[in-house]
Amino acid sequence: MKYGIAVFPSKKVQDVANSYRKRYDPHYALIPPHITMKEAFEAEEDQIESEIIPQLREIAKNTDPFSYGVYKVSSFSPVTNTIYLKIEPSDEIFDLNDKLYTGVLPEEKDFAFVPHITIAQKLSDEEFSDVYGSLTMLKFDLQDQVDRFQLLYQLENGAWSVYETFRLGRG
């Protein structure tokens, strides 16, 4: 089965992201706005229960809650026509990401970690240019707190569902 690890932002941040996602993100119905902390990986359920969940509990216990800000949009162009809310980089978010690629967790990374919340993807070149051009003129001032992360699994229809939630700093 396919699994992933994500942080779901507060309702306020999700509402801002969804105001764009419902129009520009074909994955809108498959998963709420999120920060991907670990790319999708394959695992057997017994491995999830016996090895991965205990490690995730340990990571959560030894990671303090932290804050982040969102002040602008950015994109992965020219690689893909994806537009996202840019998470201000912090040592804490990169540290958590690094921890999620250690031990029994699969260690391959297809991409360098760029903390973000996708708001538009799979746009045509022309649509990307229009949407990105108008969004880059907007200023955002969102502050949020990370106090948990979620282990997700993918359903047959492509949607993602929470398998378990891990609260930070419960050591």
Side-chain angles (χ1 to χ4, degrees):
M1 189 176 283
K2 195 176 269 190
Y3 295 88
I5 298 173
V7 166
F8 292 109
S10 66
K11 181 181 180 326
K12 183 175 107 178
V13 174
Q14 287 196 35
D15 287 349
V16 170
N18 276 333
S19 70
Y20 302 104
R21 288 183 75 229
K22 64 183 158 210
R23 208 163 137 204
Y24 303 119
D25 186 356
H27 296 170
Y28 174 76
L30 302 177
I31 188 168
H34 62 282
I35 304 165
T36 301
M37 294 304 300
K38 180 168 185 63
E39 297 170 30
F41 61 95
E42 294 286 335
E44 299 299 322
E45 190 164 0
D46 60 334
Q47 182 192 17
I48 290 288
E49 290 294 333
S50 66
E51 299 174 20
I52 293 177
I53 285 178
Q55 183 176 333
L56 293 177
R57 285 187 182 129
E58 195 62 28
I59 290 169
K61 185 173 86 174
N62 294 309
T63 303
D64 291 328
F66 58 92
S67 301
Y68 67 90
V70 174
Y71 306 107
K72 65 181 186 175
V73 298
S74 193
S75 85
F76 290 122
S77 176
V79 179
T80 69
N81 286 348
T82 299
I83 302 169
Y84 57 85
L85 295 174
K86 184 179 190 296
I87 307 292
E88 275 300 301
S90 69
D91 290 343
E92 294 90 350
I93 200 162
F94 282 98
D95 184 46
L96 177 56
N97 175 257
D98 288 344
K99 289 177 184 176
L100 296 172
Y101 283 90
T102 62
V104 298
L105 294 160
E107 294 181 28
E108 318 79 51
K109 280 189 185 185
D110 290 337
F111 306 100
F113 178 57
V114 177
H116 70 281
I117 300 167
T118 299
I119 58 172
Q121 59 186 321
K122 300 186 181 351
L123 303 172
S124 70
D125 289 345
E126 193 173 283
E127 192 177 22
F128 169 82
S129 190
D130 288 349
V131 173
Y132 188 61
S134 63
L135 290 177
T136 54
M137 290 188 264
L138 300 177
K139 295 285 179 239
F140 295 87
D141 189 10
L142 302 169
Q143 302 297 316
D144 208 3
Q145 177 85 8
V146 175
D147 63 358
R148 69 194 72 192
F149 61 84
Q150 280 78 16
L151 174 65
L152 309 171
Y153 65 98
Q154 193 169 33
L155 304 169
E156 285 181 24
N157 68 357
W160 289 87
S161 190
V162 174
Y163 190 96
E164 190 164 328
T165 296
F166 302 87
R167 293 185 178 275
L168 302 182
R170 299 293 170 117

